Amino acid sequence: MATTTNAAETRRNGRALCEVRGVTHEFVLPHGAPLRVLENIDLAIRSEEIVALLGPSGCGKSTILRTVAGLMQPTRGAVLYHGEPLRGLNPGVALVFQSFALYPWMTVAENVQAVLRARRLPRREVIERAERAVHLVGLAGFEEAYPRELSGGMKQRVGIARALAVDPEILLLDEPFSQVDALTAESLRAEVIDIWAAADRNPSSILMVSHDIKEVVYMADRIVILGKDPGHVQTVMENRLPRPRDYRSPEYLGMVDRLHELITGHELPDLPAARGPGAPAAEPLPHAQASEIVGLLEYLDARGGREDVFRIANDTNRDFGYVINIVQAAEMLNFVDTPRRMVVLDRTGQRLVQAAADERKAVFREQLLGLGLFRAIEATLRRAPGHRVDRDFVLETIIFRMPQENPEEIFETFISWARFGNLFAYDETTETISLQEEVEAPSSPA
């Protein structure tokens, strides 16, 4: 296992297995206009190292991962594998998804065997390689279990086993620990490090996407911090901490603090939110519940209207990356300002906190209508028969306006905010969205 600075130095000076050179990527919107999501990305993945991509939602982290995998062809630039331009799927990588992505009708063994059968390997080899991978991730004895019988951590172990079964030179991880509890995530990180560190087998290197600062400091040798609009490399931080890394050591905590400073400077610039006629057609909604936004405002109000963002994360015992989401959401709605590391209650935020319950909803609704997505859906609803549209229409609108985002996640946030502000109602049974005033209107007298 890599436990010394000298070993880490060897990794940093290793040869490049895969390179991303000058990659720019654009999605073409339905009306023909391009939407640029990546801008001139340069990245090398060297032998025997772990590289982490860290940045805000919408900065193109997953797009980079899919480009390296060969699932997407960049608009400009090139991906090289062992110095040769990549054509089609990358033969040396395997991808572990955030959402497990298991076949529910297959057993653990069958889920792992599926990727090997797709490679047309002999039946005996398929069985043997699947068995080795299942044992490697600690699932021996669960080969005949179905996904519905497994915990979240066990499901992700199946996903990891499936990726390892194809013997990838580079393992791609797309936020693989975000769907499991904190203790399980900590255990899985350590197990992945142990598997990677074994000198006698692949993967040689790992490229991972994460929003968790503590996670990337624990795992990565290099941390690539991305900015967005469009996605670009802000800076690259070398992590020279020897392994195994201690979450409580002063050196580890010092690096976490330095990354906090960098991320805060990039993600919370002291700039006004883009609103009004000159604002973009739609802004990606940070994944935060309306109640959490209001909770942040109440927290600030109880502390004189301002607090350090690190202190907020510590006081609320929440992941720093998630606190950033809540702060970004509050700033998007013009409830707070973010000068440097501080979060400051704005005049509109003060008005909401001091208001009664019904007036709070009115203030929240007023701010929602300053955002392009909410304005567009409200305008459509006012024209639609019965002032209703179905869920698929809103999802298509999100995909049209924000093709690089996760439409289901944006939809969940959209509904949470709209319900809190009494702007729209959503019926889960019929999967329809309607104007709240239409739902609440009294029926006509007989």
Side-chain angles (χ1 to χ4, degrees):
M1 185 171 180
T3 58
T4 68
T5 302
N6 288 338
E9 195 70 37
T10 299
R11 285 195 296 275
R12 282 191 291 273
N13 292 331
R15 60 190 174 86
L17 302 178
C18 189
E19 294 180 77
V20 176
R21 291 186 180 175
V23 162
T24 293
H25 190 69
E26 295 175 344
F27 291 108
V28 178
L29 299 176
H31 61 278
L35 177 66
R36 183 165 297 182
V37 295
L38 293 177
E39 178 76 59
N40 198 30
I41 301 293
D42 288 315
L43 175 67
I45 305 156
R46 297 189 281 266
S47 178
E48 299 180 32
E49 72 168 351
I50 299 177
V51 180
L53 304 178
L54 183 68
S57 175
C59 70
K61 300 187 295 292
S62 294
T63 302
I64 294 173
L65 213 64
R66 283 159 174 74
T67 301
V68 169
L71 295 171
M72 299 177 62
Q73 183 71 28
T75 306
R76 288 195 295 278
V79 177
L80 280 67
Y81 182 59
H82 285 284
E84 296 295 325
L86 187 64
R87 299 281 186 264
L89 296 178
N90 191 327
V93 310
L95 178 59
V96 178
F97 299 93
Q98 177 181 2
S99 58
F100 311 139
L102 304 180
Y103 298 115
W105 60 88
M106 291 185 181
T107 64
V108 167
E110 289 168 343
N111 264 283
V112 178
Q113 292 170 7
V115 295
L116 299 170
R117 290 198 186 98
R119 296 192 171 199
R120 302 184 183 280
L121 297 177
R123 183 174 181 275
R124 178 184 287 269
E125 186 177 353
V126 166
I127 293 172
E128 289 177 351
R129 288 175 67 165
E131 184 178 343
R132 283 199 302 270
V134 169
H135 279 248
L136 188 61
V137 300
L139 286 178
F142 290 89
E143 290 88 348
E144 299 307 312
Y146 288 90
R148 64 178 179 274
E149 300 170 317
L150 305 177
S151 67
M154 293 171 77
K155 289 177 184 176
Q156 196 55 293
R157 281 184 168 85
V158 179
I160 294 169
R162 184 174 54 191
L164 295 175
V166 300
D167 195 33
E169 192 171 28
I170 304 172
L171 183 63
L172 305 180
L173 305 177
D174 192 359
E175 299 201 41
F177 315 121
S178 61
Q179 299 295 315
V180 298
D181 64 88
L183 289 177
T184 300
E186 187 172 326
S187 174
L188 284 171
R189 290 181 200 116
E191 289 177 29
V192 168
I193 291 291
D194 287 343
I195 291 168
W196 162 77
D200 60 339
R201 60 175 178 254
N202 280 330
S204 170
S205 299
I206 295 173
L207 175 62
M208 62 181 293
V209 164
S210 180
H211 68 276
D212 187 327
I213 292 175
K214 293 180 180 178
E215 177 173 278
V216 301
V217 173
Y218 179 78
M219 295 192 70
D221 298 301
R222 282 189 296 136
I223 302 163
V224 181
I225 300 172
L226 300 169
K228 64 178 183 177
D229 300 327
H232 59 282
V233 176
Q234 292 271 21
T235 189
V236 179
M237 178 179 283
E238 297 275 349
N239 185 355
R240 299 173 184 269
L241 295 179
R243 302 182 190 277
R245 292 171 183 164
D246 182 354
Y247 288 103
R248 297 163 295 180
S249 74
E251 296 79 11
Y252 173 90
L253 295 173
M255 176 156 281
V256 169
D257 285 343
R258 288 196 295 278
L259 271 172
H260 276 162
E261 293 279 2
L262 285 169
I263 293 293
T264 303
H266 294 322
E267 293 196 35
L268 297 177
D270 188 20
L271 296 172
R275 303 171 70 87
E283 310 84 348
L285 307 181
H287 192 50
Q289 297 295 309
S291 58
E292 294 171 321
I293 298 170
V294 174
L296 170 67
L297 305 185
E298 291 173 339
Y299 170 96
L300 292 171
D301 185 59
R303 287 157 179 78
R306 59 190 298 124
E307 188 53 271
D308 184 290
V309 68
F310 305 149
R311 179 65 180 271
I312 296 172
N314 185 66
D315 285 353
T316 58
N317 197 30
R318 300 298 297 271
D319 173 75
F320 180 78
Y322 195 71
V323 170
I324 288 287
N325 278 353
I326 299 171
V327 172
Q328 286 181 319
E331 185 168 36
M332 175 178 282
L333 292 164
N334 273 2
F335 292 137
V336 301
D337 288 325
T338 55
R340 295 179 63 81
R341 291 170 37 167
M342 300 302 295
V343 184
V344 181
L345 198 60
D346 205 349
R347 187 179 307 170
T348 307
Q350 291 172 346
R351 183 157 66 94
L352 184 142
V353 170
Q354 295 165 6
D358 287 346
E359 189 183 345
R360 279 188 173 192
K361 291 181 177 293
V363 173
F364 203 91
R365 180 167 61 249
E366 176 185 319
Q367 298 308 110
L368 291 180
L369 290 173
L371 302 179
L373 181 61
F374 290 89
R375 284 198 308 272
I377 297 301
E378 190 212 27
T380 298
L381 285 170
R382 293 199 178 280
R383 297 192 303 268
H387 302 306
R388 295 173 184 271
V389 296
D390 60 29
R391 176 178 180 274
D392 286 345
F393 173 83
V394 178
L395 284 171
E396 288 170 5
T397 302
I398 292 168
I399 292 168
F400 173 79
R401 292 166 176 261
M402 295 170 271
Q404 75 276 27
E405 300 294 328
N406 180 332
E408 296 284 351
E409 188 173 281
I410 295 288
F411 179 83
E412 179 185 332
T413 304
F414 172 84
I415 292 299
S416 166
W417 294 11
R419 279 174 162 169
F420 185 86
N422 278 349
L423 181 58
F424 309 134
Y426 178 55
D427 187 324
E428 284 89 354
T429 303
T430 61
E431 294 192 331
T432 56
I433 295 94
S434 58
L435 287 173
Q436 187 72 29
E437 63 190 29
E438 296 297 327
V439 172
E440 295 181 344
S443 57
S444 302

